[in-house]
Amino acid sequence: MSSRGPMSATVEGPVRVLHVDDDEAFLDLATTHLERHDIEVVTAQHAEAGLDALEESDVDCVVSDYDMPGMDGLEFLEAVREDHPDLPFVLFTGKGDEGVASEAISAGVTDYLQKDIGTDQYAVLANRVLNAVDRDRSKRALGEHDRRLETLLRNLPGMVYRCLNDPGWPMEYVDGEVQELTGYDAEAFESGSVLWGEEVIHPDDRETAWQTVQDALGRSEPFELTYRIETADGDLKHAWERGRGVWNDDGDLEALEGFITDITRRVEHRQKLERQHARLEAMIEQSPDMINVHDEDGAIVEANRRFCEELGYTEEEALEMNVWDVDADADPEDIAAMRDETGDDDLRRIEATYERSDGSTFPAEAHLTRLDTAGDWEFLVFSRNVSDRVERDRELARLREGYETVFEHAQDALFLLEVEADDGEGGSPSFVFESANPAQEELTGVSEAELRGKTPSEAFDDATAGAVESLFGSILETQETATFETELSFPAGDAVVNASVSPVVVDGEVTQLVGVARDTTERKRRERELRRERDRLEEFASIVSHDLRNPLNVAEGYLEMAREADDPGKLGKVADAHDRMRTLIEDILTLAREGSTVTDFEAVDLADVATDCWEPVDATRATLRVETSRTVLADRARLLQVLENLYRNAVEHAGPDVTVTVGDLDDGFYVADDGPGIPGDQREEIFESGYTTSRDGTGFGLTIVSEIVAAHGWTVEVVESETGGARFEVRGVEFA
């Protein structure tokens, strides 16, 4: 039989009885009377049927006859007690034998009642049943109460106590998690060896705790307080206590009873939340961003200081506004759509136009997320005035457009390379062309489309790639701009390149290289020409200041002597000096007029030129042999000067009987004589200006030869001839 809840002394709730009797008519009559006393009746006509009924129905009491066929009432009682030892059992029998009554009481019957004549017996039966049920319910209720109390104490997250109202609060009784809470066992408190108020409560909290309890007792109210306790191990905990005073019938306070539990985690959690809240509130209020919260209908419910200051509203004014009052681009329909489209954990970026209280506007960037607060949706919005960024973007766009224009139309070659880090296995970083302008193609002969995505070694030959990558590697190490000028070989041809390459450094690493290059080949050529011309002018200045000064001094000296001595014979020396100066002047003018290059080439018969320029040479006893029939590409007049100077040099140094031969070389021609030749240690000096071993020579004849040969792009070298004389070999000549 299932248990029922606790009952008071008076039976509460419906009472159900199983009545077993073999007399059907008696059962019907008894049922009628019992039901008048609000007793539900289940009937059975023999004991076996009664046991079946107990299995099928919950009943509060069994009423049974004694004398029944098969199993009598006492045997039935014994069978009931096997499964329902505490179920009230009333033996209601017509057999009024004292022996039966005694046996029934010994068997554990709850009550014994004899059947009688008349209807009063049913009222007595009903009373006996109700009393038996009441006692049973009270007994079970008390047992259940004790069991629940024991369970409560066993599972209570703390301790219960009874103590005296004394500052030390000596404990008369403690139970529950005493050891877990304090580190002391219950006996330590109940014996008085540990006083709660003097040894457990933290010293700084004792006075406040005592006063709080006394104030509540003075009002005859329960007390509730929190304080810190020190455990037996010296640990500090936070405790929560609730209790009340217990007064006797005379109104005197006997003791305090209450409950104490550990709230350390709750206090620490609350303190942590308070700190987090304080930090969060400070972050929100001090944030450089505008922060506001609005509900799902668009009404602003919270706004930080920056939000109000930026828009020119007080906090009170802001909290009376809707989103569309601030965002000029929004309306209620937009807010509704945003509400429907924003899911959990979504972070939406919104570009907006915010309007200040004075009507001015500014662009804003907002980030919005949804909050679920107590079942309602709210939306947290972080906004920032991006006027500066918008203007900066516009400026960047203008700069980018200007950069692209410059990039495309710059006369200098511009290029950009990506720096790809090494593979982590000891390999070197690689440089990959990302873009280049049209001028780069003019310089290198490689289009941007062909260049993009390639490394220097993939775009150029090994020598050029090696030089370029070596330079790039040094830039990675120094992270500084490098400027260089060198001759490189490109598909478009060799060129002298002046370049400046700068690194783009991000987080301490070079990520890109930006370069500007210019073809300086022509400039370098002009510089070399100017250098030669400057050297030539310096030579002329030296000649004028030195070589002409000597014969001029000689002429002036002899002229003065002729005047003083009236000796006309001295004038011959003057005339010789003038001839010397005239020759020097002619050679200097020739040297100055030659220039450094020849541009007017023509087909010249070498034999004809060699013969024509022999006649002006004062060599009546000398012999010329022309052993060539080739036609060369040259400036005829300047070639005549070369041969004439070589002839004169041979006559001056080899003597009037010299034989001069003009012959062919594989790549040029030669002029040789059969004179004494030129010593080997003097062969490199003979082409220098002013160098001569002849008393009558100017030292410029071979210099003129060297200049004219170089102007043609040829070379000249002096070696020993077959006869032991001097042989001038001119090479690099192009034949027609």
Side-chain angles (χ1 to χ4, degrees):
M1 182 179 70
S2 64
S3 61
R4 296 181 182 274
M7 296 288 294
S8 64
T10 302
V11 175
E12 296 181 0
V15 175
R16 174 178 287 186
V17 172
L18 172 63
H19 191 181
V20 182
D21 198 301
D22 59 343
D23 187 341
E24 183 179 359
F26 182 77
L27 282 176
D28 292 341
L29 181 59
T31 297
T32 299
H33 285 281
L34 291 175
E35 287 178 348
R36 291 176 181 175
H37 292 274
D38 295 328
I39 297 175
E40 299 178 8
V41 181
V42 177
T43 61
Q45 290 187 267
H46 50 80
E48 287 78 3
L51 293 174
D52 293 338
L54 283 177
E55 294 296 326
E56 297 174 358
S57 303
D58 289 337
V59 300
D60 298 297
C61 183
V62 175
V63 177
S64 176
D65 190 11
Y66 171 72
D67 191 10
M68 294 184 296
M71 183 184 300
D72 63 23
L74 293 180
E75 293 172 339
F76 178 45
L77 171 63
E78 184 177 354
V80 169
R81 286 285 180 261
E82 290 180 3
D83 295 328
H84 308 280
D86 297 322
L87 182 63
F89 193 100
V90 177
L91 192 62
F92 187 35
T93 178
K95 191 173 182 179
D97 189 302
E98 290 185 3
V100 173
S102 176
E103 187 178 357
I105 292 172
S106 299
V109 72
T110 305
D111 205 346
Y112 175 84
L113 180 64
Q114 265 191 322
K115 293 180 181 178
D116 200 356
I117 299 173
T119 59
D120 291 341
Q121 62 178 331
Y122 300 114
V124 174
L125 176 62
N127 187 53
R128 297 283 182 91
V129 168
L130 291 175
N131 286 337
V133 171
D134 186 34
R135 288 193 301 272
D136 179 63
R137 288 184 176 180
S138 297
K139 179 180 177 182
R140 285 190 288 113
L142 182 59
E144 181 66 17
H145 178 268
D146 291 343
R147 185 190 65 77
R148 289 180 178 176
L149 181 59
E150 182 180 353
T151 301
L152 176 63
L153 291 176
R154 189 167 56 249
N155 294 283
L156 203 62
M159 56 176 275
V160 294
Y161 69 88
R162 180 184 175 90
C163 73
L164 299 179
N165 186 36
D166 181 89
W169 282 332
M171 299 291 181
E172 295 181 341
Y173 167 79
V174 292
D175 200 359
E177 296 182 344
V178 182
Q179 183 85 32
E180 292 85 345
L181 177 62
T182 68
Y184 300 104
D185 57 22
E187 196 275 333
F189 290 106
E190 292 175 348
S191 67
S193 61
V194 177
L195 293 177
W196 188 269
E198 295 180 359
E199 298 174 70
V200 178
I201 298 180
H202 191 278
D204 294 342
D205 296 344
R206 290 170 189 170
E207 183 177 350
T208 302
W210 171 260
Q211 193 59 49
T212 301
V213 172
Q214 301 314 304
D215 290 345
L217 293 175
R219 298 188 302 270
S220 299
E221 295 177 353
F223 54 83
E224 184 176 318
L225 65 158
T226 60
Y227 49 80
R228 291 166 295 172
I229 65 172
E230 292 179 328
T231 69
D233 296 331
D235 294 334
L236 192 66
K237 293 183 178 180
H238 293 269
W240 175 83
E241 179 179 347
R242 181 177 177 82
R244 63 190 310 134
V246 178
W247 284 267
N248 60 23
D249 294 339
D250 296 331
D252 297 327
L253 181 65
E254 290 186 349
L256 305 180
E257 293 180 351
F259 170 74
I260 303 172
T261 188
D262 182 0
I263 61 169
T264 303
R265 288 188 178 181
R266 188 195 316 166
V267 171
E268 292 176 348
H269 181 64
R270 184 183 69 247
Q271 292 173 344
K272 179 180 178 181
L273 290 178
E274 289 174 352
R275 289 193 298 269
Q276 290 178 340
H277 178 74
R279 287 196 296 267
L280 182 60
E281 186 174 2
M283 290 170 59
I284 291 176
E285 283 304 308
Q286 302 303 322
S287 172
D289 289 334
M290 297 175 284
I291 302 176
N292 75 282
V293 178
H294 65 81
D295 63 20
E296 57 184 312
D297 295 323
I300 297 175
V301 297
E302 189 172 345
N304 74 337
R305 178 178 57 84
R306 182 64 178 170
F307 182 89
C308 298
E309 290 177 352
E310 186 74 45
L311 294 171
Y313 295 105
T314 65
E315 183 178 1
E316 292 74 15
E317 290 171 334
L319 298 184
E320 294 177 355
M321 302 174 71
N322 294 308
V323 173
W324 49 86
D325 297 326
V326 174
D327 185 355
D329 298 334
D331 55 37
E333 290 74 19
D334 294 330
I335 301 303
M338 176 272 301
R339 177 191 61 207
D340 297 337
E341 295 170 2
T342 304
D344 294 337
D345 301 324
D346 282 355
L347 182 63
R348 302 186 61 183
R349 177 182 175 276
I350 301 170
E351 293 184 356
T353 302
Y354 279 7
E355 183 174 350
R356 299 185 180 94
S357 59
D358 61 6
S360 62
T361 61
F362 61 88
E365 180 182 83
H367 290 84
L368 175 145
T369 188
R370 191 178 75 185
L371 307 174
D372 188 357
T373 55
D376 295 325
W377 284 353
E378 291 184 339
F379 296 87
L380 176 65
V381 184
F382 292 82
S383 307
R384 178 168 295 182
N385 186 334
V386 293
S387 300
D388 292 343
R389 192 189 70 190
V390 170
E391 182 58 33
R392 190 164 57 250
D393 290 344
R394 290 172 182 164
E395 180 63 22
L396 287 174
R398 289 193 293 268
L399 290 174
R400 186 179 298 109
E401 183 178 354
Y403 160 76
E404 291 174 352
T405 300
V406 171
F407 192 80
E408 287 298 316
H409 298 90
Q411 294 182 348
D412 291 337
L414 306 177
F415 55 87
L416 176 65
L417 297 103
E418 290 287 340
V419 179
E420 297 183 352
D422 60 59
D423 55 10
E425 298 180 359
S428 301
S430 59
F431 310 96
V432 180
F433 285 100
E434 181 179 334
S435 60
N437 69 338
Q440 179 279 144
E441 182 176 357
E442 295 179 10
L443 173 64
T444 66
V446 182
S447 68
E448 182 190 21
E450 295 173 319
L451 195 65
R452 190 184 301 116
K454 291 183 178 179
T455 63
S457 60
E458 293 171 336
F460 308 121
D461 63 30
D462 293 343
T464 298
V468 170
E469 290 183 337
S470 176
L471 173 73
F472 292 169
S474 66
I475 295 175
L476 291 186
E477 295 178 1
T478 64
Q479 296 190 356
E480 296 179 353
T481 298
T483 301
F484 66 97
E485 186 169 71
T486 185
E487 184 173 354
L488 298 174
S489 295
F490 297 118
D494 296 345
V496 178
V497 176
N498 182 286
S500 177
V501 182
S502 299
V504 177
V505 182
V506 178
D507 295 333
E509 296 291 334
V510 178
T511 60
Q512 291 178 312
L513 297 178
V514 181
V516 181
R518 176 177 297 176
D519 185 353
T520 58
T521 306
E522 183 61 26
R523 190 195 72 191
K524 297 299 290 185
R525 184 190 64 77
R526 289 198 303 272
E527 288 178 353
R528 287 193 295 269
E529 290 180 0
L530 289 173
R531 191 178 302 110
R532 284 195 294 269
E533 293 298 329
R534 183 180 66 249
D535 294 343
R536 192 194 310 273
L537 290 174
E538 290 177 355
E539 287 184 83
F540 295 163
S542 174
I543 294 168
V544 171
S545 64
H546 181 270
D547 293 354
L548 285 177
R549 183 177 290 120
N550 287 339
L552 181 61
N553 289 336
V554 170
E556 289 177 347
Y558 278 111
L559 181 61
E560 184 176 353
M561 290 173 62
R563 287 173 178 172
E564 290 176 353
D566 194 17
D567 182 4
K570 301 293 185 182
L571 295 178
K573 296 292 186 180
V574 174
D576 291 342
H578 285 166
D579 289 340
R580 172 72 173 165
M581 286 189 290
R582 183 180 296 106
T583 303
L584 283 170
I585 291 171
E586 289 177 355
D587 284 349
I588 291 171
L589 289 175
T590 300
L591 188 62
R593 290 166 180 163
E594 292 310 314
S596 59
T597 59
V598 173
T599 57
D600 297 329
F601 286 88
E602 60 179 312
V604 179
D605 187 303
L606 185 57
D608 289 346
V609 173
T611 302
D612 291 344
C613 64
W614 179 257
E615 294 179 3
V617 178
D618 184 11
T620 55
R621 293 163 52 188
T623 304
L624 173 68
R625 292 193 302 179
V626 178
E627 299 177 353
T628 179
S629 59
R630 287 185 170 179
T631 301
V632 300
L633 293 177
D635 184 319
R636 191 176 191 283
R638 300 174 82 175
L639 181 57
L640 281 169
Q641 186 72 50
V642 168
L643 295 176
E644 183 178 334
N645 283 14
L646 290 175
Y647 293 165
R648 285 177 177 170
N649 182 73
V651 171
E652 289 174 1
H653 293 87
D657 298 323
V658 68
T659 299
V660 178
T661 304
V662 178
D664 292 332
L665 296 173
D666 292 341
D667 58 347
F669 60 89
Y670 67 85
V671 177
D673 62 58
D674 57 359
I678 301 174
D681 58 353
Q682 297 179 13
R683 291 174 184 173
E684 293 184 2
E685 300 176 5
I686 62 174
F687 294 107
E688 295 179 2
S689 297
Y691 180 86
T692 180
T693 58
S694 171
R695 182 176 62 83
D696 297 328
T698 64
F700 294 107
L702 293 182
T703 302
I704 294 172
V705 170
S706 175
E707 290 288 339
I708 295 175
V709 167
H712 280 80
W714 306 337
T715 62
V716 61
E717 182 182 13
V718 60
V719 298
E720 185 177 328
S721 68
E722 294 179 355
T723 60
R727 171 166 156 159
F728 291 85
E729 295 183 346
V730 179
R731 296 182 180 275
V733 179
E734 186 176 354
F735 300 105

